[in-house]
């Protein structure tokens, strides 16, 4: 028998031998025939030799995010709220944007988010003649609209539509002036805030409420009402707890006005901001019951961390502590998220004064039945010769009936020159004079809530006719806050917004090339308006949205007046950090922005919608922003920065 001779095997270079091959090599020399099988002995990575196994590459960690302008849809309408609240449907790649100027919802195709196009509208007139759409929400292809009746104090409606065909599916009646609405996470329930604002002349004042709507069968939605009737007769108790109940002759149910709603991750609990009341309502969704009214407290602007600019005259950046001035948080938008097994509430502290009948000459002529305006400048409140000089101008008749004038506490306001019976320099424009405050709070009262009267010398005197203001209450917190499920303050951004806008680090414009401080506290509907909003509510944070990226939670806060979006990392609720600010207003110097509407950019962000990458039309996370003054819907791309 013949034999085939094999050449001697040569040991391969050490760099070519994996652990399993190395162990097998001596045996292969003795069993030459198995040389043919040598290539089959692959390195499978399951060696017991841990020292020689390659370590896996570390996963990238998200360190930050940055906004950039991707696309924009423009209605061509200025100052008429032609783009307010956005929603997004991933299946159709459509954005649904409330156009209050039309009273409808614009439907935008975002298949190419760099170039949104109008493809249709949702018109609520089929539900009720003269009806207008106030807000929109979307879940799993169902679009929900909050629909205001032609007479806003009448009960409104919610309409449900298909996102693909725009066909009406079902409708249901709700309370007066339905505004913000939102689905529970499972999509089976829809909640709507029925604000219940009074008529402009304050002759009709409907009750506020929250409608809890079963939409498991969208063709036949069923609504229940979570109302505030249980607090009627308990107005004094609410006031003592810090809830603002102050409308003329209003019951608690009439005075409480739900604005915006957030829902817990498990869908069991909701919270509604009661903006004008500086409070929250907590709602048990299963029973459709308001279980608590939670006061939000006040922000001490006398602290350095809460410093603010309070004057627009002369125009200047003057951020400083103001002892005796308290901010009413008065949040507009609210959102909920979970951290460490707990629910936290994130709020944009806009502030909003009651102002009804302000365009009625009869009200300013002294007819208190024709309206109610609570806003008043400090310089007019503290006139040494009393209120009479403001009659027929801006003096609310309710204040005129309360006293002949008012004083500033000389101890609290000694820092700006107040003395007994004289406000001193406190009422100067460069000090507190220009600041708008509420006259309804801050003056000294007795145990029954009646004002304690003083004479013109500053002495307490039952026969006197002067109020004594121990504190002044300004509108809004000029910040955003994080609170726990019971409404307790966990964290607040303090004076960070105004401080950053006044810093050298801040830049505005699509290219981020315009110094923010050049246009500090500008208004959204006027050009060349440096410092014009400092006497009111500053940058005025209004909209808020939450997004999760790379295991982190981010808050996006729209600044209504200054414009743009602030971004914070709120992963740790007790220690949020600033991440980015992006403002796409391009023209800041033209006196009338409406004359450069095609190039001015975005003015007055109202509503924001985060779109996760796996839902996005281009596979990247987006932020959709409705801008009510410029009538534009901006599409921001969110760049993720990894380390």
């Amino acid at each position: 028998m013949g034999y085939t001779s094999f050449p001697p095997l040569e040991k391969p270079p050490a760099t070519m031998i994996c652990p399993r091959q190395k162990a097998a090599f001596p045996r292969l020399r003795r069993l030459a025939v198995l040389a043919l099988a040598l290539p089959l002995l692959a390195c499978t990575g399951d060696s017991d030799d841990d020292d020689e196994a390659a370590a896996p590459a570390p996963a990238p960690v998200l360190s930050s995010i940055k906004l950039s302008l991707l696309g924009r849809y423009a209605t061509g309408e200025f100052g008429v709220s032609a783009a307010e609240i956005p929603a997004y449907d991933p299946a159709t790649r459509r954005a649904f944007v409330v156009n209050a100027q039309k009273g409808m919802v614009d439907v935008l195709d975002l298949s190419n988010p760099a170039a949104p196009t109008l493809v249709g509208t949702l018109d609520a007139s089929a539900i009720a003649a003269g009806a207008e759409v106030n807000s929109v929400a979307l879940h799993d292809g169902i679009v929900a609209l909050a629909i205001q009746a032609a007479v806003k104090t009448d009960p409104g409606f919610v309409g449900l539509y298909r996102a693909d065909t725009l066909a009406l599916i079902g409708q249901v009646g709700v309370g007066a002036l339905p505004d913000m609405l939102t689905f529970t996470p499972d999509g089976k329930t829809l909640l709507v805030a029925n604000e219940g604002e009074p008529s402009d002349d304050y002759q009709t004042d409907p009750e506020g409420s929250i409608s809890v709507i079963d939409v498991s069968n969208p063709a036949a939605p069923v609504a229940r009402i979570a109302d505030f009737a249980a607090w009627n007769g308990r107005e004094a108790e609410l006031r003592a707890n810090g809830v603002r109940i102050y409308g003329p002759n209003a019951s608690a149910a009439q005075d409480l006005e739900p604005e915006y709603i957030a829902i817990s991750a498990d869908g069991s609990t909701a919270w509604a901001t009661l903006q004008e009341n500086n409070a929250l309502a907590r709602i048990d969704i299963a029973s459709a019951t308001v279980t608590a009214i939670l006061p939000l407290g006040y922000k001490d602007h006398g602290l350095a961390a809460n410093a603010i600019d309070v004057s627009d005259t002369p125009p200047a950046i003057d951020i400083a502590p103001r002892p005796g001035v308290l901010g009413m948080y008065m949040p507009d938008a609210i959102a909920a998220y979970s951290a460490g097994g707990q629910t936290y509430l994130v709020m944009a502290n806009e502030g909003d004064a009651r102002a009804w009948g302000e365009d009625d000459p009869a009200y300013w002529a002294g007819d208190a039945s024709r309206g109610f305006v609570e806003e008043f400048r400090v310089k007019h409140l503290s006139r040494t010769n009393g209120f009479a000089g403001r009659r027929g101008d801006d003096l609310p008749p309710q204040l005129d009936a309360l006293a002949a004038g008012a004083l500033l506490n000389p101890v609290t306001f000694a820092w700006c020159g107040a003395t007994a019976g004289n406000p001193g320099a406190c009422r100067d424009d460069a000090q507190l004079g220009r600041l708008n405050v509420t006259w309804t709070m801050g003056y000294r009262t007795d145990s029954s809530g009646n004002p304690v009267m003083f004479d013109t010398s500053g002495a307490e005197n039952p026969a006197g006719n002067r109020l004594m203001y121990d504190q002044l209450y300004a509108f809004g917190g000029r910040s955003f806050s994080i609170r726990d499920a019971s409404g307790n303050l966990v964290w607040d951004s303090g004076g960070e917004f105004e401080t950053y806008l006044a810093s050298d680090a801040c830049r505005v414009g699509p290219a981020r090339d315009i110094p923010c401080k050049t246009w500090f506290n500008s208004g959204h509907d006027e050009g060349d308006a440096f410092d014009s909003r400092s006497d009111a509510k500053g940058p005025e944070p209004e909209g808020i949205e939450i997004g999760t990226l790379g295991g982190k939670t981010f808050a996006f806060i729209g600044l209504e007046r200054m414009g743009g979006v602030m971004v914070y990392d709120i992963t740790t609720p007790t220690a949020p950090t600033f991440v980015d600010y992006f403002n796409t207003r391009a023209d800041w110097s033209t006196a009338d922005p409406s004359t450069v509407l095609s190039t001015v950019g975005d003015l007055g962000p109202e509503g924001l919608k985060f779109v996760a990458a796996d839902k996005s039309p281009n596979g990247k996370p987006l932020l959709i922003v409705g801008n009510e003054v410029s009538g534009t819907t901006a599409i921001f791309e969110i760049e993720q920065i990894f380390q």
Side-chain angles (χ1 to χ4, degrees), residues 70-87:
L70 178 62
R72 177 187 290 129
Y73 172 75
T75 63
E77 300 286 346
F78 177 83
V80 289
S81 299
E84 289 191 330
I85 308 299

Side-chain angles (χ1 to χ4, degrees), residues 354-448:
R354 287 259 172 91
W356 306 112
E358 59 184 338
D359 296 323
D360 186 346
Y363 176 72
W364 298 115
D367 186 350
S369 70
R370 303 294 296 178
F372 181 80
V373 176
E374 65 165 319
E375 199 172 46
F376 209 45
R377 291 196 191 277
V378 174
K379 66 186 299 181
H380 302 326
L381 188 67
S382 58
R383 289 164 56 97
T384 55
N385 57 354
F387 300 145
R390 305 305 301 180
R391 286 185 186 138
D393 188 348
D394 59 358
L395 177 65
Q398 291 91 349
L399 174 59
D400 196 17
L402 190 63
L407 308 172
L408 298 182
N409 186 316
V411 175
T412 307
F413 296 100
W415 64 270
C416 55
T419 59
N422 193 319
C426 293
R427 70 180 300 269
D428 289 355
D429 286 350
Q431 292 290 345
L432 294 175
R434 295 286 295 171
L435 181 64
N436 288 307
V437 298
T438 177
W439 60 262
T440 66
M441 298 170 58
Y443 58 81
R444 196 173 307 175
T445 61
D446 60 23
S447 59
S448 299

Side-chain angles (χ1 to χ4, degrees), residues 14 44 105 130 178-179 284 368 375 378 387 401 411 426 432 466 506 534 575:
T44 60
V105 170
D179 199 345
D284 177 72
E375 199 172 46
V378 174
F387 300 145
V411 175
C426 293
L432 294 175
R466 295 293 195 267
C506 184
S534 291

Side-chain angles (χ1 to χ4, degrees), residues 69-76 82-87 95-99 106-108 110 113-117 584 601-603 607 609 623-628 630-636:
L69 180 63
L70 178 62
R72 177 187 290 129
Y73 172 75
T75 63
E84 289 191 330
I85 308 299
F96 295 77
V97 184
V98 173
N99 185 328
D106 287 336
V107 183
L108 307 181
L110 293 191
T117 57
T584 50
D602 302 303
L603 309 174
K609 182 62 181 177
L623 185 69
I624 305 172
V625 183
N627 298 281
E628 62 174 343
S630 57
T632 55
T633 301
I635 314 299
F636 293 165

Side-chain angles (χ1 to χ4, degrees), residues 251-395:
S251 65
Q254 290 173 305
D255 209 65
L256 297 169
E257 298 181 359
E259 185 83 23
Y260 218 93
I261 300 172
I263 298 176
S264 61
D266 64 5
S268 65
T269 307
W271 295 263
T273 54
L274 307 173
Q275 184 174 23
E276 290 84 354
N277 311 101
N278 196 37
L280 285 178
R282 188 169 60 208
I283 303 106
D284 177 72
I285 295 176
S287 63
T289 304
V290 177
T291 58
I293 298 176
L294 309 170
L296 297 179
Y298 305 100
K299 185 170 183 173
D300 186 357
H301 289 303
L303 302 177
N306 297 333
I308 56 173
D309 189 331
V310 297
S311 178
D312 61 341
T313 305
I317 297 175
D318 183 17
I319 302 171
R322 315 285 173 173
V325 177
L326 300 178
M328 301 177 286
Y329 290 97
M330 305 178 79
D332 187 335
I334 180 175
Y337 77 111
S338 298
Q342 302 295 319
T343 297
Y344 292 92
L345 307 172
V346 189
M347 306 176 198
N349 301 316
E350 179 196 20
D352 194 17
R354 287 259 172 91
W356 306 112
E358 59 184 338
D359 296 323
D360 186 346
Y363 176 72
W364 298 115
D367 186 350
S369 70
R370 303 294 296 178
F372 181 80
V373 176
E374 65 165 319
E375 199 172 46
F376 209 45
R377 291 196 191 277
V378 174
K379 66 186 299 181
H380 302 326
L381 188 67
S382 58
R383 289 164 56 97
T384 55
N385 57 354
F387 300 145
R390 305 305 301 180
R391 286 185 186 138
D393 188 348
D394 59 358
L395 177 65

